[in-house]
Amino acid sequence: MKAPAFAYAKPRSLAEVCALLDERGETARVLAGGQSLVPMLNLRVAAADLLVDISGIESLRGVSVTADRLCVGALTSHREVEQSAEVARHAPLLAQAAPHIAHVAIRNSGTFGGSIALADPAAEWPACCLALDATILTISKAGKRSIPARAFFKGLFSTDLRPGELITGVEIPLTPGHRSVFLELSRRRGDYAIVGVAAMAKVQGGTLQDVRLAFLGGGDRPLLAVHAMKAAEGKPPLADLGPALAADLSPMADLDTSARTKLHLANVLARRALAALAG
Amino acid sequence: MTARDELPVKDSKTRTQSGYIGKSEPRANAKRLLQGRGSFIDDLRFPRLAHVAFLRSPHAHAKIKSMDFSKARAAPGVIGVFDGRAVAEYCSPWIGVLGHLKGIKSPPQYPLAIERACWQGEAVAAVVAETRAQAEDAVELVAAEWDPLPAVIDMHESLSGKVVIHPEFEDNICFSRQIDNGEVDAAFKNADVVVEESYSFGRHTGVCLEGRAILADYNAGEHMLTVHHATQAPHMMQDIFSKHLNLPEANVRVICRDIGGAYGIKVHVYPDEMCTAALSIMLRRPVKFVADRLESFLSDIHAREHKVTVRLAATKDGEILAFDLDDLTAIGPYSVYPRTSGIEGNQVVNLTGGPYKHKHYRASLNVVFTNKNVTCQYRAVGHPIAVALTEGIVDLAAQKLGMDPAEFRRRNMIPDDAYPYTGAAGMKYEVLTHHQCLDKLLSLMDYKGLRAEQAELRKKGVYRGIGLAAMIEVTNPSPAFYGVGGARISAQDGATLRLEPTGMLTVLSSVTEQGQGTEGIFAQIAATVVGVTMDKVKVITGDTSTTPYGGGTWASRGAGIGGEAVLQAGKALRSNILDIAAAILNVDKADLDIFSNEVIDLASGESKLPLAELGRVAYFRPDTLPMKFQSELMVTRHYTPREYGFTFTNGIQASLVEVDVETGFVKLLKHWCVEDCGTVINPLLVDEQIRGGVVQGIGAALFEECHYSEDGQLQNATMADYLVPMSGEMPDIVCGHVESKTRTSELGAKGVGEAGTAGAPGAVMNAINDALSSLGARVTTMPFTPERVLDALGKK
Amino acid sequence: MDHSLPLTLTVNGTRVTSRVEPRTHLIDFLRDTAGLTGSHIGCEHGVCGACTVRVDGLIVRGCLTLAVQCEGKTVDTIEGLSDSGELAELQQAFHERNALQCGYCTPGMLVAALDLVKSEPDASRERIREHLSGNYCRCTGYQAIVDAIETVLAMRRTTAKAAGARP
């Protein structure tokens, strides 16, 4: 299980990264924390002629807060997000989700931007970005772009990223009046979830306002459950969102869990999440 | 009186009474492992070491049309590329059958498949290179053309024989057996209650953290093959290398240093390992193969995969009359050499119903070939299946009779004073303690208290379940296990004890160590029997050129058989030491004893002669001893169990779970195991050995299953997809012991290595079903995934 | 094609310089180039934790880290942490409690445990189990490992209390 041979470059500037990615096209792959790419290389299910290690670009690292938004740099590790006081204060959903990501040794290396770029449908950060209505910031030789998270995830491991484009960070609008809950079901701690939900709402007199339910494991990409959100809007927590979720989600069966079971579990989680938001 | 008090080493004439037997002594050999300074195969460094990687069949069943090695041979670092025919010239094929499994059949198997691959993952070509990475690069350059053949994946389809896998056979049945004891039909006819249920057991595998590993080093000058091998049975492998590579037995040396987990996985003959040894001879240089994780999933033996229907007949008073079962199990395309793949099914039919005193028993077994990876003996062989289906159907009967499951078991367990006893399946039990174990378990877990708590919580919508699983286990096997069937597997083990000049004690044993603590307990036995302190003892295992001949470590035999050999050698050495002391001191031997590294006066306890002084005289100044006296400070003794085919042990486990009936998730809250392994030599080691076994059993119950697609592709051959138990989900496990020593040896120790794995799946299954009972749901297909629990509940 | 690059890093306090292929992961580098075979390979896809080592003070999966990513960094392995005495308490507790059998997972397990002991002095049994949930042990029932770490945490709390109580 040794990776096939590849070359390695560690550029010192964003401009250099963009130039390399542009020049080498799809034969180059970006290496951030490597926690998904390196196992795929070891397993020889992925290959690359060149790995472009972006870990030397300090500007991509860290969490910052402005008046109305929190910015998580692409190279910020899962562990840094988990332990960030700013994140806990301004985007508690991320702090709630972080401990579900694999294990400490992986959270130390794996990066926020890497997870967004990979777009694993069962990963935590992409679903959180949907719930938080985040914006993905990118750069390439052609320039910078800001892409709403809700338009970013296109399919199984597929995003709006263009060839040669790199995620630099994620901007999250501050939502001081919202509560958040993150729930997921995985058979063992740290495993990818069978299904999970990132939930947010404001609570007014026992009813939920601006309800946001984003699912991981609910389809070929992270999904915002718009029908369920509409059904839950302005009401006390509902007990059954089944029919709405059936319209929102189309889970993929895995070896142990059918699509139907996943839909059932999503409904259980949605109910629990809404109750927890209101509680 | 406990077994320990009865030990011969506590003879009233000696002063080594307290001894180390029964003490929780930390094992000395753990220290190097704690510093990362062990010596696993992959840690060894050799000049000119070559690495091998294998091309493995991508198909479940296919003819090899052609393989073109030209590109691979030209790749950087490549030393050689070989196909099955080339290797077969150096290594003869083998057939995994045994004479006492009547009718068992299997075709010849080669190190590399020659014309046809019979499972996805079977090795068909070997690439040897300067580094493993280069070997893997070159494997990708082998151009192979395949002609896919129909693959038989489902066991029922295999039994039907519509497609026969091996052209030399008429059907796919490897082995079958029927038992019909007593009057089974009459018993069912006359029964007040008959229950029947089918159980399904997933195929799983051992997942040793260290992959299978072999470093074969052929020295052409000596015509000598030295094999550094992660194996549980070095002498067996010496014999096999000698036979199949055509080398004199004395020209094969097998060395086992540290081994990173085995559990039965590393006691078999693997084609890729035989190939590695052959390659070393072919290339006249050391060659190493360490199975990576993908290869481990595809080619380490798998196990289990049974579908069993069982019936139980009982009276309305709760007396079990009869068991009747039909077991179908699929083993892959070959019966594994040399132990065969018929043993697991054979164990199922031997052990089902084992704890109980019914008189009527019928069992039918079919072991069939399929085009999946081979299966063979993995920890607790057959026991988890026999225990789960016995205890599952027993619970169902209790439920139907409206009896408490603990009480129902008590009524039917063989009485503790009934031994020796022959069970309905024909197994002979020397001495078992089902009732004592049950009593101890119920009090240890506060069974009544838990039942009350369960009822209270149920009112609040919390679904807790309590599951019991009584068990019997095969340990300390005699030659009846393999030897009588013609396998050249030693049922005997040996120990050599040598007193060194400084009074140190060296112990050499044919039993191997994979972390169970074998070396530690041998040091305890040797120190106790000879009369030295533990710090004076050094134990050496795992080298065919230095240790006595013996079987190695498997079937819960190390302590019971190897330990008895150490004890007997210790007694003999002690006697020899006293002879020398008597000669030096010019006193009667009967007046002397050995205690704490010194020869003492038996009556007064006064120190007479330190062993270091005795050693000095015996080795360096024998001229001072009487003229005709020869000192003998090295002694070898062997032991093999004779009176019983197996030294059966018993125990009982309990599991407490909570089921989330909305999600189907099962939370393990606590687990208990009370076990009777006879003399407990080291409680610290025994308890964690049991716990490790329990956790492997929990893996079977909740997590582990090799998933194959309809065309025979293993779909979860990574550790991300094949779920092993991790610390986060495991419960605390409480252990208890009853000690009824076996009288077949002076040590009195029975085996314990497989107890946990044997009983845990049944206990967890019964606990889940207990939790679900008020909802009218039952699960019987392992592993019990959330989906299977939800299916049983009719949710989704 | 030869893609190898020069690499300099500090391993267990000693500077190591070598040429390395970019595809070589840190564990192969440590084992084959630096000769430190205490860190073990278990799965090479980041699941088993046998290769857990410390890079710049943080625990990482050695099999998911390329050696070239460690240019200029400080790596600590089981050997170095043993010799420095940093692991001594845990090693003793593991030994006394028999928190290992075959010992293959042990180096990774100890490095992960040390991370918890240092960062969470009040960790509960539950938290210990959670922290170790990425380190696979097939031999023990995990209980002895959890017990051993619990013992070290309790011991350290007692020592800290005693030190704090001193005038």
Side-chain angles (χ1 to χ4, degrees), chain A residues 29-120:
Chain A
R29 299 196 64 160
V30 174
L31 175 68
Q35 301 303 285
S36 297
L37 179 57
V38 176
M40 290 195 288
L41 291 167
N42 289 351
L43 288 159
R44 295 194 179 220
V45 295
D49 290 343
L50 172 71
L51 293 196
V52 180
D53 183 351
I54 59 169
S55 67
I57 316 295
E58 284 304 315
S59 62
L60 302 183
R61 202 176 291 277
V63 174
S64 59
V65 190
T66 61
D68 62 347
R69 61 196 58 200
L70 177 88
C71 185
V72 181
L75 281 178
T76 313
S77 74
H78 306 318
R79 188 71 166 156
E80 285 164 350
V81 174
E82 183 181 3
Q83 296 181 330
S84 157
E86 282 91 352
V87 167
R89 185 158 165 228
H90 297 292
L93 179 67
L94 298 179
Q96 291 161 345
H100 294 276
I101 303 172
H103 310 281
V104 174
I106 287 173
R107 294 205 289 276
N108 279 334
S109 295
T111 64
F112 195 87
S115 171
I116 303 296
L118 182 67
D120 188 310

Side-chain angles (χ1 to χ4, degrees), chain B residues 507-629:
Chain B
V507 178
L508 298 113
S509 169
S510 55
V511 172
T512 53
E513 167 81 280
Q514 296 97 39
Q516 297 91 334
T518 315
E519 293 180 0
I521 62 166
F522 288 176
Q524 287 176 262
I525 296 167
T528 304
V529 179
V530 176
V532 300
T533 50
M534 286 282 284
D535 58 304
K536 301 288 182 198
V537 187
K538 177 81 185 163
V539 182
I540 293 168
T541 63
D543 186 342
T544 56
S545 70
T546 56
T547 71
Y549 201 92
T553 299
W554 40 274
S556 298
R557 66 190 296 285
I561 298 176
E564 178 69 7
V566 173
L567 185 149
Q568 294 301 336
K571 282 173 70 180
L573 179 62
R574 174 193 187 82
S575 176
N576 289 359
I577 292 170
L578 291 176
D579 282 337
I580 299 167
I584 295 171
L585 297 168
N586 201 17
V587 297
D588 189 347
K589 179 183 177 185
D591 293 332
L592 296 174
D593 194 5
I594 308 172
F595 181 72
S596 196
N597 312 315
E598 296 188 337
V599 176
I600 60 170
D601 178 72
L602 181 61
S604 66
E606 187 190 339
S607 172
K608 290 290 182 190
L609 184 65
L611 290 181
E613 175 60 11
L614 180 142
R616 185 189 68 82
V617 173
Y619 287 109
F620 308 133
R621 294 301 307 275
D623 56 303
T624 63
L625 295 171
M627 186 52 76
K628 302 254 166 170
F629 189 88

